[in-house]
Amino acid sequence: MSQAVDEIKIGGIGASRKRVEDNRFIRGKGNYTDDIVLPGMLHMEILRSPLAHALIKSIDTSKAWDIPGVHLVLTGEMMATRNLAWMPTLSYDTQAVLATDKVRFQGQEVACVIADDPYIAKDACEAIVVDYEPLPAIVNPQQAVAADAPVIRDDKENQPDNVIYHWEVGDAAGTERAFAQADVVSKIQLHYPRSHPSPIECCGSIADFNRATSKLTVYMTTQAPHIIRAAVAMVAELPEHMIRIISPDIGGGFGNKVPVYPGYVCSILASILLERPVKWIEDKTGNLISTGFARDIYLDGELALRRDGKILGVRMHCDADHGAFFSDAQPSKFKIGLLHSAFAAYDIPAAHLTARGTYSNKAPGGVAYRCSFRVTEAMFFQERMMQAAADDLGLDQADFRRMNFVADDDFPHRTPFGFLTDSGQYAKCLDVGLRAIGYEEFRREQAEARARGRLLGLGISTMTEPLGAGNSREYDILGIKMFDSAELKVHMTGKAILRTGARTQGQGHETTWAQIVAHELGIPADDVVVEEGDTDTAPFGMGTYASRSTPVAGAAVAMVSRKIRAKARKLAAHLLEVSEEDVEWELGRFYVRSAPDRGVTIQECAIAAYANMPDGMEPGLENTAYYDPPNLTWPFAVYIVTVEVDPATGVWDVLKTVAVDDCGVRINPMIVEGQIMGGLTEAYAMSSMQFITFDAEGNCVGSNYMDYLLPTAWETPGFELHSEVVTPCPHHPIGAKGIGECAAVGGPAAFVNAVMDALSGTGVRNIDMPLLPDRVWEALTYHRDVAGAPPVRADD
Ligand code: CDP
């Protein structure tokens, strides 16, 4: 007699199943792009510009060609003959593949050499002589809009200056009225510095063009293989069905591996020209100076406040420095991503945001580094403003937030910028966080310490983030609608293979997707193999970034499992010799309603699909689901940090960090905790040490790991995580919300707010990140704000 299976035992939803992918990773058996060796493979290296802005007067490649072992030297001029010197970006701009007229940032790709090995290719790059005529460099938006600023994009028609766009959203008139009624207006200005996702594995590709079959296969480090296939088809004018993009194991992406980089394009062209596989593997400095930067945004905001603490309105302006090319990967409708998701957790009647994007002599920026298209900037700005406003009003930080939260019974809620949020228990999360940190006690301790000259501080960050772009009505990239997909094939023995359009880069999809199948079908998770990243086999999908996997691809996994269950029900009715209406489902088993002992397992249905299907039924047990989510998911989080600042040195130490994350139903609680810890580590790094900036000539300061610091376990503080608040997403098939980014998005403000709280009473309103000891010391000593925008100062 068959029985329902125990969901946790089979590794279903809620099981802290160990990550199946780790089995190969910890044995050193991962298969990364650089591990792949193809017969006859050549190697490509890129010559990069040493200058940030300069005319190219000439490029002499003759000495490079003379080096034995060199097969090809590519320059922009040669690319131009194939219409490949420039390529379209994901934000309707153009980007140089190899520079022809001038270089526009330090590290820009100028030429490529393809040789027998990478060392010969590197030597040959050094033999190329480029005659540059330096031009003044622009390293911030203020310089970009100055009357005498050189025009960086003089390659473009109708581009008389360095402004890319002006964009606005919200209700200008309503916000004006709110400010007219305000008792207090609280203002803040800050710079969210450039940061770099710096995944452990750099970018790379191996292009393999086979003239005999006309097939191009590219192994590459991409988070979005199907988008790349379409881009290659368009850019290289190759038929899409003859292009196969394979994204093997990826050593971290964090948004860095979404854009199309010149190295990919050059390796493809080189393989077509040479008819041999061509491998390009970027080095660490190349990755740090030339690939997808994040942030670099100047924020200027004010809150209209009633004396009792009610927020009446918010006004925000931002200047975004996009670098030399506007290549952000983000929904086409939104020029500055989802920056306008700011203040979604608060009940605010009126809001208005204006944004200006400018070019500069820096590598293209604006990638969504572990965030949904600029929500990191939005939440940082929001929580820095909330702290400043509570201080201005003389209100308690926690009370001020609580009194402005959207109430639990006020959902669905229209945010001040027009998003629709659907669920949350914000005050409850805050209460859990305050209890965990020991709020009242800490405030007492803080006052006592202050009396003895010790500086303690507590920072709160509360936020909701839009995850899971998105519904196809509002979200597209270059016109391609944002949905995702899953394909499930159940074999006759009840084992299965699942493929999705997402691409894991370390988040554990191979583990968690199988758990969703187990939850829906009762097939043990160990019996489901998950495959992603091969465009010849996986169904079309928009890829993994913006924590969209669980909200979109994860939902598709549930939906395709349900399609399989619907067919299995017909098979069960046939096997049980009853009508379908008389068949009931419990996990892993169908049974006869009137005789529950009579049942068949999902595995028995699987074999019947191949060996004993009813007359007229199509054989097999497989299906595909494309999922277009009705809305984004809105997880909520509270991060609270306590610190002690040393007034003599400006050094600050984290005393305690508490995180309360409500991401709806947790598929795998252990993986969720790993995501939160990783995010908090990045948040701590951004707030305390990460510093990639530029001097007045546009030289990148921080282009190696001596200068651009990644925290190790030694520096990283411990984190206390809380999971007791669970508000299922009402529209997601399994009630899950995204989680991958929350802590990296909401965390930085908690660390900064804690240090600023320690400095309260000194008159210091803001210190720009990273809060390096010398900046904190300067603020404390001179009682002044410390700005951190480039150009870097001589003493930094
Ligand atoms: O898109 P990405 O995979 O980066 O982010 P995500 O969808 O937030 O998921 C990150 C990891 O956490 C995945 O392995 C998810 O399956 C897992 N997760 C979970 O177990 N429960 C949730 N409610 C959300 C994510």
Coordinates of all heavy atoms in Angstrom, one line a residue, residues 43-45 63-72 113-127:
H43 N 44.9 31.5 -27.8 CA 44.7 32.4 -26.6 C 44.7 33.8 -27.0 O 45.6 34.3 -27.8 CB 45.7 32.1 -25.6 CG 45.7 30.7 -25.1 ND1 45.0 30.3 -24.0 CD2 46.1 29.5 -25.6 CE1 45.0 29.0 -23.8 NE2 45.7 28.5 -24.8
M44 N 43.8 34.6 -26.4 CA 43.7 36.0 -26.7 C 44.0 36.9 -25.5 O 43.6 36.6 -24.4 CB 42.3 36.3 -27.2 CG 42.1 37.7 -27.7 SD 40.3 38.0 -28.2 CE 39.7 38.8 -26.7
E45 N 44.7 37.9 -25.8 CA 45.0 38.9 -24.7 C 44.6 40.3 -25.3 O 44.6 40.6 -26.5 CB 46.5 39.0 -24.3 CG 46.9 37.8 -23.5 CD 46.4 37.8 -22.1 OE1 46.2 38.8 -21.5 OE2 46.1 36.6 -21.6
K63 N 55.3 45.1 -35.1 CA 56.2 44.3 -34.2 C 55.5 43.1 -33.6 O 56.1 42.0 -33.4 CB 56.8 45.2 -33.1 CG 57.9 46.2 -33.7 CD 58.8 46.6 -32.5 CE 60.0 47.4 -33.0 NZ 59.5 48.8 -33.5
A64 N 54.2 43.3 -33.3 CA 53.5 42.2 -32.7 C 53.3 41.1 -33.7 O 53.4 39.9 -33.3 CB 52.1 42.8 -32.2
W65 N 53.0 41.4 -34.9 CA 52.8 40.4 -36.0 C 54.1 39.6 -36.1 O 54.0 38.4 -36.5 CB 52.4 41.0 -37.3 CG 51.0 41.5 -37.5 CD1 50.5 42.7 -37.4 CD2 49.9 40.6 -37.8 NE1 49.2 42.7 -37.6 CE2 48.7 41.4 -37.8 CE3 49.7 39.2 -37.9 CZ2 47.5 40.9 -38.1 CZ3 48.4 38.8 -38.2 CH2 47.3 39.6 -38.3
D66 N 55.2 40.2 -35.9 CA 56.5 39.5 -36.1 C 56.8 38.5 -35.1 O 57.8 37.7 -35.2 CB 57.7 40.6 -36.2 CG 57.6 41.4 -37.4 OD1 56.9 41.0 -38.4 OD2 58.3 42.4 -37.5
I67 N 56.1 38.5 -34.0 CA 56.5 37.6 -32.9 C 56.0 36.2 -33.2 O 54.9 36.0 -33.5 CB 55.9 38.1 -31.5 CG1 56.6 39.4 -31.1 CG2 56.0 37.1 -30.4 CD1 56.0 40.1 -29.9
P68 N 57.0 35.2 -33.2 CA 56.5 33.8 -33.5 C 55.4 33.4 -32.6 O 55.5 33.6 -31.4 CB 57.8 33.0 -33.3 CG 59.0 34.0 -33.3 CD 58.4 35.3 -32.8
G69 N 54.5 32.7 -33.1 CA 53.3 32.2 -32.3 C 52.1 33.1 -32.4 O 51.1 32.7 -31.9
V70 N 52.3 34.3 -33.0 CA 51.1 35.2 -33.1 C 50.3 34.9 -34.4 O 50.9 34.7 -35.4 CB 51.6 36.7 -33.1 CG1 50.5 37.6 -33.5 CG2 52.2 37.1 -31.8
H71 N 49.0 34.7 -34.2 CA 48.2 34.3 -35.4 C 47.4 35.5 -35.9 O 47.0 35.5 -37.0 CB 47.2 33.2 -35.0 CG 47.9 31.9 -34.7 ND1 47.9 30.9 -35.6 CD2 48.7 31.5 -33.7 CE1 48.6 29.9 -35.1 NE2 49.2 30.2 -33.9
L72 N 47.1 36.4 -35.0 CA 46.2 37.5 -35.4 C 46.3 38.7 -34.5 O 46.5 38.5 -33.3 CB 44.7 37.0 -35.4 CG 43.6 38.0 -35.8 CD1 43.8 38.3 -37.3 CD2 42.2 37.4 -35.6
V113 N 45.5 40.5 -29.3 CA 46.5 39.5 -30.0 C 46.0 38.1 -29.7 O 45.7 37.8 -28.6 CB 47.9 39.7 -29.5 CG1 48.8 38.7 -30.1 CG2 48.4 41.1 -29.8
I114 N 46.0 37.3 -30.8 CA 45.6 35.9 -30.6 C 46.9 35.1 -31.0 O 47.5 35.3 -32.0 CB 44.5 35.5 -31.5 CG1 43.2 36.3 -31.1 CG2 44.2 34.0 -31.5 CD1 43.0 37.6 -31.7
A115 N 47.3 34.2 -30.0 CA 48.6 33.6 -30.2 C 48.5 32.1 -29.7 O 47.5 31.7 -29.1 CB 49.7 34.3 -29.4
D116 N 49.6 31.4 -29.8 CA 49.6 30.0 -29.3 C 49.4 29.9 -27.8 O 48.8 28.9 -27.4 CB 51.0 29.4 -29.7 CG 51.0 29.0 -31.2 OD1 50.0 28.8 -31.8 OD2 52.2 29.0 -31.7
D117 N 49.9 30.8 -27.1 CA 49.6 30.8 -25.6 C 49.5 32.2 -25.1 O 49.8 33.2 -25.8 CB 50.7 29.9 -24.9 CG 52.1 30.6 -24.8 OD1 52.1 31.9 -24.6 OD2 53.1 29.9 -25.0
P118 N 48.9 32.3 -23.9 CA 48.6 33.6 -23.4 C 49.8 34.5 -23.1 O 49.8 35.7 -23.2 CB 47.9 33.4 -22.0 CG 47.9 31.9 -21.8 CD 48.4 31.2 -23.0
Y119 N 51.0 33.9 -22.9 CA 52.2 34.6 -22.6 C 52.7 35.3 -23.9 O 53.1 36.5 -23.9 CB 53.3 33.7 -22.0 CG 52.7 33.0 -20.8 CD1 52.3 31.6 -21.0 CD2 52.5 33.6 -19.6 CE1 51.7 30.9 -19.9 CE2 51.9 32.9 -18.5 CZ 51.5 31.6 -18.7 OH 51.0 30.9 -17.7
I120 N 52.7 34.5 -25.0 CA 53.1 35.1 -26.3 C 52.1 36.3 -26.6 O 52.5 37.4 -27.0 CB 53.1 34.1 -27.4 CG1 54.1 33.0 -27.1 CG2 53.4 34.7 -28.8 CD1 54.0 31.8 -28.1
A121 N 50.8 36.0 -26.4 CA 49.8 37.1 -26.7 C 50.1 38.3 -25.9 O 50.0 39.5 -26.4 CB 48.4 36.5 -26.5
K122 N 50.4 38.1 -24.6 CA 50.7 39.3 -23.7 C 51.9 40.0 -24.2 O 51.9 41.3 -24.3 CB 50.9 38.8 -22.3 CG 50.9 39.8 -21.3 CD 49.6 39.7 -20.4 CE 49.3 41.0 -19.7 NZ 47.9 41.2 -19.4
D123 N 53.0 39.3 -24.5 CA 54.2 40.0 -25.0 C 53.9 40.7 -26.3 O 54.4 41.9 -26.5 CB 55.3 38.9 -25.3 CG 55.9 38.4 -24.0 OD1 55.6 38.9 -22.9 OD2 56.6 37.3 -24.1
A124 N 53.1 40.1 -27.1 CA 52.8 40.8 -28.4 C 52.0 42.1 -28.2 O 52.2 43.1 -28.9 CB 52.1 39.8 -29.3
C125 N 51.1 42.0 -27.2 CA 50.4 43.3 -26.9 C 51.3 44.4 -26.5 O 51.1 45.5 -26.9 CB 49.4 43.0 -25.7 SG 47.9 42.2 -26.1
E126 N 52.4 44.0 -25.7 CA 53.3 45.0 -25.3 C 54.1 45.6 -26.5 O 54.7 46.6 -26.4 CB 54.2 44.5 -24.2 CG 53.4 44.5 -22.9 CD 54.1 43.8 -21.8 OE1 55.4 43.5 -21.9 OE2 53.5 43.4 -20.8
A127 N 54.2 44.8 -27.6 CA 54.9 45.3 -28.8 C 54.1 46.2 -29.7 O 54.6 46.7 -30.6 CB 55.4 44.0 -29.5

